[in-house]
Amino acid sequence: MEIHVIADPQELGALAASHVVAAIERNSQAVIGLATGSTPLPLYRAWAASVAESKLDVSQVRGFALDEYAGISPEHPESYRSVITNEVVIPVGLTPEFVRVPPSSATDADAAEYDNAIKAAGGIDLQILGIGRNGHLGFNEPGTAFDSRTHRISLTPETIEDNARFFDSVEEVPTEAITQGLGTILDSRIALVIATGESKAAAVAAAITGEVTTDMPASILQRHPNVIWCLDTAAASQLPAELIGA
Ligand code: PGA
């Protein structure tokens, strides 16, 4: 496990992006797991800038989004299909046909097909992850089984409240979603977790130093062989000093 603590969000994004770029330099057909939310946006901007500067060929890169709201129209500006297209595919220059988002129809068959498509692509080389205040990864809320594969779930009131900022009102936030499972995430070769802000500090500390328990989904990362944590100072503020070289 690596833990990086960087105060400046742009620098943090650049560091995180350098790991994504390195994965593509190692393998031009790298399979990248894509997270939505606010936290990875500086990473996506830095990734796009790095591709533009270095002329890195990303045309063969494969992408699999972590999750999608159930029942949302793919054309809705806050569907994760739209967000991944507008924040990642277009700015970075990925090939749209190679980037998948779980279908919002979110049936059991859709979920199984999505998980199988990840396996058929050779598995995820590098999974970009955010973390929820409650420790969720993707939309795997507390209580989700560690061996879960892509599946449909109900969002907790806390997650609905956190995501209301993207919608006109809390009533508009979908209450269900389809998400890669914790087992799917654990299969990734590298897990790159980004967390910023004081509101994530308790979840980050619990995930890294606490008990491995389904009450704290991100604690499963203690069982992952290759995790890179990219934290700002506030998100790292509850970690023991010896872990962050402070
Ligand atoms: P955020 O979401 O980046 O918008 O804080 C992260 C998450 O809930 O996983």
Side-chain angles (χ1 to χ4, degrees):
M1 177 177 71
E2 286 176 34
I3 303 178
H4 302 279
V5 182
I6 296 183
D8 178 70
Q10 308 317 321
E11 275 180 41
L12 188 65
L15 173 78
S18 72
H19 288 285
V20 181
V21 167
I24 298 166
E25 284 172 345
R26 285 192 296 272
N27 173 9
S28 62
Q29 298 187 14
V31 181
I32 308 294
L34 302 165
T36 50
S38 310
T39 318
L41 294 178
L43 180 167
Y44 294 140
R45 285 187 205 114
W47 181 12
S50 174
V51 167
E53 266 165 40
S54 66
K55 311 245 183 321
L56 180 70
D57 179 9
V58 293
S59 63
Q60 299 303 310
V61 169
R62 269 64 179 163
F64 284 92
L66 263 180
D67 44 18
E68 174 62 288
Y69 293 116
I72 199 165
S73 159
E75 282 77 41
H76 190 293
E78 294 304 333
S79 76
Y80 288 172
R81 162 51 73 193
S82 297
V83 173
I84 290 290
T85 299
N86 295 327
E87 303 290 356
V88 188
V89 175
I90 293 172
V92 175
L94 301 180
T95 302
E97 298 75 46
F98 291 165
V99 179
R100 293 205 45 190
V101 177
S104 58
S105 41
T107 64
D108 288 349
D110 291 331
E113 193 278 330
Y114 195 75
D115 221 88
N116 287 334
I118 292 173
K119 287 192 197 106
I124 291 176
D125 292 305
L126 182 146
Q127 175 65 61
I128 298 165
L129 292 165
I131 179 172
R133 282 191 293 149
N134 62 3
H136 73 201
L137 292 180
F139 277 135
N140 292 287
E141 302 285 28
T144 306
F146 279 164
D147 62 358
S148 51
R149 311 304 306 184
T150 302
H151 63 293
R152 183 175 178 127
I153 48 88
S154 294
L155 301 178
T156 61
E158 190 178 35
T159 297
I160 292 171
E161 187 188 305
D162 281 348
N163 288 9
R165 69 190 194 280
F166 296 114
F167 293 84
D168 289 337
S169 69
V170 73
E171 289 74 35
E172 285 183 32
V173 184
T175 56
E176 292 183 74
I178 175 170
T179 182
Q180 287 185 35
L182 292 172
T184 318
I185 292 169
L186 196 65
D187 285 346
S188 60
R189 294 183 187 92
I190 301 173
L192 179 68
V193 199
I194 314 168
T196 53
E198 182 65 41
S199 67
K200 304 290 176 69
V204 165
I208 295 175
T209 64
E211 186 195 344
V212 178
T213 164
T214 55
D215 292 343
M216 172 50 61
S219 65
I220 195 179
L221 294 171
Q222 292 181 34
R223 295 187 181 156
H224 192 289
N226 196 351
V227 188
I228 303 166
W229 288 88
C230 294
L231 308 171
D232 73 356
T233 317
S237 60
Q238 292 187 28
L239 283 173
E242 63 271 18
L243 271 186
I244 54 177

